[in-house]
Amino acid sequence: FLSPCVLLAAAEAGVGYLLPIPCTQAEILRRLEDMLLKVETPVSDTAAAFARYHVRRLGLPRGKGLSRILEILPHYDSRTEPCLSKDFYADMAKALGVSTDAIDAAIHRTIQKGYEHRNDAIWREYFADTSVCPGNKEFFNAVSDRIHENAPSR
C-alpha cells in the first residue's frame, strides 16, 4: 500500500506523518497529542482561543476544572487584577448553582493533575519554579500574562 508514488503524493499534500494500520488507540492518541503540542499558534487571535491553546500546551485534563479555567481565563488580566478575584468564582458559582469552594477545588484538582503529568520543559516556560505545583492564583497569573502577550483582540 505504501508505494513510493503514494509517499510522494502524501508529501506533496503536506502529510507530515503516516500512521501504519492496524494500530492501537493509544498510538493514535499519543500521535494526536504530539501534533497538538507542536501547534505554533492558536486557531484564531481571540483571548478564548489563546486560553485553549495555553491550557492544551500545559496538558491539563478535561473535566469541570478545565471548563471553569477556560471560562475565567479570557476575562482575567493579571496586570489589572493583581490577585485572582473571588468575584470570578462567585459569579460562576451563582450561574452554575454550586459553591465557590467547589469551583476553587475543581480548578485546583485540574492544575494538580496537569502538574503531575507535566512536560517539564513546557511548564518551565510558564512557571519559574516547577518543583512545586502552582496554586490557582499563580496559574491564572502566568497563563494570563502569556495570553495578553499574544492575543491582539483582548
Side-chain angles (χ1 to χ4, degrees):
F1 179 77
L2 289 179
S3 68
C5 182
V6 169
L7 292 173
L8 179 61
E12 287 174 356
V15 173
Y17 183 83
L18 292 173
L19 190 62
I21 297 183
C23 61
T24 66
Q25 286 180 336
E27 288 176 280
I28 294 170
L29 288 174
R30 194 170 31 257
R31 181 62 191 148
L32 288 172
E33 287 172 352
D34 289 344
M35 290 168 56
L36 285 173
L37 289 176
K38 291 178 183 172
V39 172
E40 296 290 327
T41 58
V43 181
S44 72
D45 65 355
T46 65
F50 275 88
R52 284 189 303 275
Y53 168 74
H54 289 292
V55 298
R56 187 173 52 228
R57 284 197 76 223
L58 289 166
L60 297 186
R62 290 185 186 147
K64 289 180 183 176
L66 180 63
S67 298
R68 308 306 178 244
I69 289 168
L70 290 174
E71 289 172 31
I72 293 171
L73 266 174
H75 308 287
Y76 178 72
D77 188 341
S78 62
R79 296 166 317 143
T80 58
E81 302 222 20
C83 63
L84 182 60
S85 169
K86 291 295 180 182
D87 291 343
F88 283 116
Y89 291 177
D91 293 345
M92 188 179 295
K94 185 176 180 180
L96 297 171
V98 298
S99 72
T100 56
D101 289 342
I103 290 174
D104 187 57
I107 289 171
H108 183 71
R109 277 192 306 274
T110 299
I111 294 169
Q112 180 70 39
K113 286 179 185 176
Y115 174 79
E116 290 169 2
H117 302 286
R118 72 189 176 281
N119 176 327
D120 215 40
I122 291 174
W123 277 67
R124 266 190 246 112
E125 293 176 21
Y126 293 83
F127 308 100
D129 182 8
T130 59
S131 66
V132 294
C133 179
N136 292 10
K137 181 175 88 171
E138 184 182 0
F139 178 87
F140 277 102
N141 286 343
V143 178
S144 171
D145 289 345
R146 295 296 293 271
I147 291 169
H148 188 73
E149 288 172 7
N150 299 313
S153 59
R154 195 137 169 63

